[in-house]
Amino acid sequence: GFVVGLAAVYFLWSYWESGGRAKLFYAGFLTAILPLVHTHSFVTVSMAAGFLFLIALYKTPRDWRKIIGDWFCFLLPVAVLGLPQMFMIFPWGREGFLRFKFGWMKGGESLVWFWVKNISPHIFIFLWAWFRARPEVRSFYLAFWGVFVVANLLVFEPYDFNNSKF
């Protein structure tokens, strides 16, 4: 499932870099087959795609009709094939799924200290890469920062640690 999720991200990137509704359709189709195979990848790719849609609208608000038309090509297979699977496997009536928890697993310490300890030297590589990247790479990467922020505000399962998959 992880490989299918990566392929979906590849098609999202291909669209982001050069356009083409077919690429969004392929990304949507690959995302739509994920719920029964790798639910975490489905949720992550779907969230990232939602953020990419919002970033595209923000960057070029005059082209909102084209942007909505393009992203409909992603949404259609996800809505038709993926969401029914999610409704089928979602544990309705069970507590603990999708709840607010600021800082996710930080416990009693500050969120900044939690991430300093957990990301430590990698932050320098991330920052270096951020400043060296082309603007379209940065805007694409912002969508995944959005997923990171959401995963630090919401817990998607009863077991807090599983949020690390997002």
Side-chain angles (χ1 to χ4, degrees):
F2 181 69
V3 172
V4 175
L6 285 177
V9 170
Y10 167 78
F11 282 113
L12 287 173
W13 168 249
S14 295
Y15 168 79
W16 198 254
E17 192 173 38
S18 60
R21 287 183 176 185
K23 295 171 187 171
L24 279 180
F25 180 79
Y26 299 147
F29 179 77
L30 289 171
T31 303
I33 64 174
L34 282 170
L36 293 177
V37 179
H38 201 257
T39 308
H40 294 92
S41 291
F42 173 78
V43 174
T44 302
V45 173
S46 297
M47 270 196 292
F51 283 119
L52 287 170
F53 169 72
L54 293 174
I55 292 167
L57 281 177
Y58 177 78
K59 283 175 56 175
T60 54
R62 291 188 186 116
D63 295 338
W64 66 272
R65 287 186 181 160
K66 181 192 178 312
I67 293 168
I68 290 173
D70 286 357
W71 284 93
F72 183 76
C73 293
F74 176 86
L75 182 63
L76 184 65
V78 170
V80 171
L81 300 173
L83 289 181
Q85 293 175 64
M86 284 301 290
F87 284 118
M88 182 179 75
I89 64 174
F90 190 81
W92 300 101
R94 295 212 25 223
E95 292 183 26
F97 284 86
L98 197 62
R99 64 194 190 293
F100 179 80
K101 188 170 183 182
F102 179 75
W104 165 56
M105 287 192 58
K106 71 177 184 68
E109 62 191 357
S110 80
L111 185 62
V112 173
W113 180 242
F114 171 78
W115 280 112
V116 165
K117 287 187 332 185
N118 284 286
I119 210 166
S120 52
H122 298 94
I123 190 68
F124 300 110
I125 296 168
F126 297 153
L127 291 172
W128 178 79
W130 173 265
F131 289 112
R132 300 269 307 160
R134 299 183 320 251
E136 66 270 9
V137 174
R138 284 188 199 157
S139 61
F140 186 77
Y141 191 59
L142 275 178
F144 295 90
W145 272 109
V147 173
F148 175 78
V149 169
V150 169
N152 274 276
L153 296 174
L154 297 175
V155 176
F156 293 89
E157 301 187 35
Y159 308 107
D160 292 357
F161 185 76
N162 278 346
N163 241 33
S164 65
K165 296 173 184 175
F166 299 101

